[in-house]
Amino acid sequence: MNEPTDQWRLAIAKIIQPHRPNIMQRRHFLKLSGLGGLVFCSLSACRPTTTKLESSATQTSKIPSTPQTQSTQLFKQEIKATRPWNLVLMIKDEQDPYQVQLKQGAEKAAQDFGVNVKVLDNKCQTCVDLQIKTISNAIQRGHLDGLIIVTVDSVKLVRVVEKAIDAGISVIAIDIPINSDRLVSFVDFDNFAASQQLGQWVVKQLKGRGRVLILNGVLEQQNALERRNGFLAGLKQGDMEVLDMQSAHWEQKEAKAITANWLKQFPNIDVIFAACDTMAFGAREAVVEANEKKIQILSFDGTRPALEAVHQGAIAATAMQQPLPQARLAVQMMIRHLQNGETFPPTVKIPPPPVITQDNVQEYLAKAV
């Protein structure tokens, strides 16, 4: 994907309904084996005990993460800016490898397209008030044409984002949606499809039967929901037992602590799926310290450290989120909107590559930043 045209061939626009339901209203149900009722899983950490996923269950149907829609190619070629538009990329944690690559992708796009991109960092992935304050300050300083944002909260950021729009600043969300219909668009990776592939891979590896644990991200963020639900959908192809699900809030230390407790609580664990690479590293630390040799760790993001871990056998498989094309696409869309008035579907999704394992990881390592 070194050539621009190759990058845009990967960018697929999925036209969805203009109204995106409020994330805080979404709910998810799991059917439990051996019980006559249903366990309710809200957007806080859902913690079922020995959950059996039945092939007839419809636990993911409540969240329209991957609607059946027409897919079309977005751009055949990139364009350069006719003036040096002033853009801001607001990320949510510069220490996170995925966020670092978003920054690199946006800065490279700025050089290639002839615009100015300033990157604003956030101190942590749940620091909502700080992100609101940082955006407010950017609005007050003025001279800002466009804002590309990875939000830490899809609901609480609505007010300040719409304040920016009222000030004449165009806004594109990336990775995590914002519950407003006033954005230029939302650039996303197909988290559901990628994690569903991982779930299907697990079923195949375990020959249809196994015991699984899931480390969720921040469940107030839609990408975390889609990764969880996609993985569960993939597991439905087999007779899989989900022992527990907990949120480690994308944090390595918290993931390690949760995993350490799981290892004391549950015998015969086959797989731990972590919804990001950072949490997978935490889980791996706990597994190594407990001298557990048979547990497979799965991750999500496909950052270079994760690819190297797959190559070494420390992580069994990962999904690559492709942050560089995401950032480049967002910058290109913003330029087109600002200088030509182009409009786009409410959501533009980049499809996932195959599951990355030891069999194919060298191909992706050769391209990784």
Side-chain angles (χ1 to χ4, degrees):
M1 288 192 324
N2 293 327
E3 296 296 327
T5 53
D6 291 334
Q7 292 175 358
W8 301 128
R9 291 182 194 281
L10 288 176
I12 301 298
K14 288 195 174 182
I15 303 173
I16 64 173
Q17 295 179 357
H19 173 68
R20 289 188 289 271
N22 189 314
I23 293 175
M24 300 302 291
Q25 296 175 343
R26 296 178 179 185
R27 295 296 183 264
H28 178 68
F29 290 89
L30 285 175
K31 187 173 286 186
L32 302 187
S33 63
L35 296 177
L38 290 170
V39 169
F40 180 78
C41 300
S42 70
L43 294 180
S44 60
C46 173
R47 301 176 60 180
T49 301
T50 58
T51 303
K52 205 80 166 185
L53 296 175
E54 300 181 5
S55 59
S56 60
T58 58
Q59 64 267 25
T60 59
S61 63
K62 298 293 183 181
I63 299 179
S65 302
T66 53
Q68 294 183 355
T69 56
Q70 181 181 2
S71 298
T72 58
Q73 184 172 313
L74 190 59
F75 303 132
K76 291 184 178 180
Q77 63 182 17
E78 298 168 332
I79 64 170
K80 291 190 175 182
T82 56
R83 55 175 285 191
W85 302 100
N86 293 315
L87 311 180
V88 160
L89 170 65
M90 180 74 213
I91 58 178
K92 61 180 182 177
D93 185 359
E94 197 174 25
Q95 301 303 312
D96 177 70
Y98 167 73
Q99 306 292 320
V100 171
Q101 290 190 60
L102 280 179
K103 175 183 175 181
Q104 293 170 340
E107 290 175 341
K108 179 64 165 60
Q111 293 177 353
D112 292 346
F113 302 148
V115 296
N116 301 313
V117 173
K118 181 178 181 180
V119 179
L120 299 178
D121 187 21
N122 205 42
K123 297 302 181 185
C124 74
Q125 303 214 30
T126 56
C127 296
V128 178
D129 292 339
L130 179 58
Q131 193 172 54
I132 291 172
K133 182 179 179 180
T134 302
I135 295 172
S136 295
N137 291 340
I139 296 170
Q140 291 175 2
R141 284 193 296 269
H143 307 292
L144 179 60
D145 300 305
L147 171 64
I148 300 170
I149 180 172
V150 185
T151 180
V152 299
D153 191 298
S154 300
V155 177
K156 293 180 180 179
L157 267 289
V158 170
R159 185 173 179 179
V160 72
V161 164
E162 293 192 340
K163 181 181 176 181
I165 295 170
D166 290 337
I169 300 168
S170 298
V171 179
I172 291 177
I174 188 169
D175 187 45
I176 301 171
I178 298 171
N179 283 19
S180 172
D181 59 3
R182 299 178 61 192
L183 275 61
V184 175
S185 188
F186 166 47
V187 176
D188 193 21
F189 175 73
D190 200 333
N191 291 281
F192 187 97
S195 54
Q196 185 177 28
Q197 288 179 172
L198 280 170
Q200 293 167 346
W201 183 85
V202 167
V203 172
K204 184 177 179 180
Q205 292 298 305
L206 298 179
K207 295 181 170 48
R209 295 178 65 90
R211 292 160 63 85
V212 180
L213 290 159
I214 299 175
L215 286 164
N216 291 316
V218 178
L219 291 180
E220 287 80 11
Q221 298 173 0
Q222 183 171 326
N223 61 345
L225 286 169
E226 291 181 345
R227 293 177 194 185
R228 180 192 69 182
N229 294 332
F231 188 68
L232 290 171
L235 293 183
K236 286 198 301 179
Q237 290 194 353
D239 183 21
M240 309 302 293
E241 190 174 12
V242 177
L243 302 171
D244 197 7
M245 294 188 288
Q246 292 191 42
S247 173
H249 303 96
W250 310 115
E251 299 293 338
Q252 184 167 339
K253 289 183 179 179
E254 190 171 353
K256 180 179 179 180
I258 291 171
T259 303
N261 288 331
W262 278 340
L263 296 176
K264 297 174 184 176
Q265 184 179 358
F266 299 109
N268 303 320
I269 300 166
D270 294 303
V271 169
I272 298 174
F273 167 60
C276 75
D277 291 340
T278 303
M279 293 191 298
F281 296 143
R284 180 63 187 172
E285 288 178 13
V287 167
V288 170
E289 289 179 9
N291 199 30
E292 293 282 353
K293 301 185 182 299
K294 295 183 179 180
I295 298 175
Q296 296 188 76
I297 308 293
L298 274 63
S299 72
F300 197 109
D301 281 339
T303 57
R304 184 172 188 88
L307 296 178
E308 291 172 348
V310 171
H311 182 63
Q312 296 163 5
I315 290 178
T318 189
M320 178 173 278
Q321 194 173 2
Q322 304 195 96
L324 297 175
Q326 274 185 281
R328 190 177 184 91
L329 176 59
V331 173
Q332 176 70 189
M333 289 170 63
M334 185 65 78
I335 293 169
R336 288 171 176 265
H337 177 73
L338 290 172
Q339 67 189 36
N340 299 332
E342 292 186 39
T343 59
F344 307 100
T347 297
V348 176
K349 284 187 178 286
I350 294 178
V355 173
I356 299 173
T357 67
Q358 280 192 317
D359 293 336
N360 61 358
V361 68
Q362 288 185 330
E363 171 189 349
Y364 295 94
L365 269 172
K367 304 174 185 177
V369 176

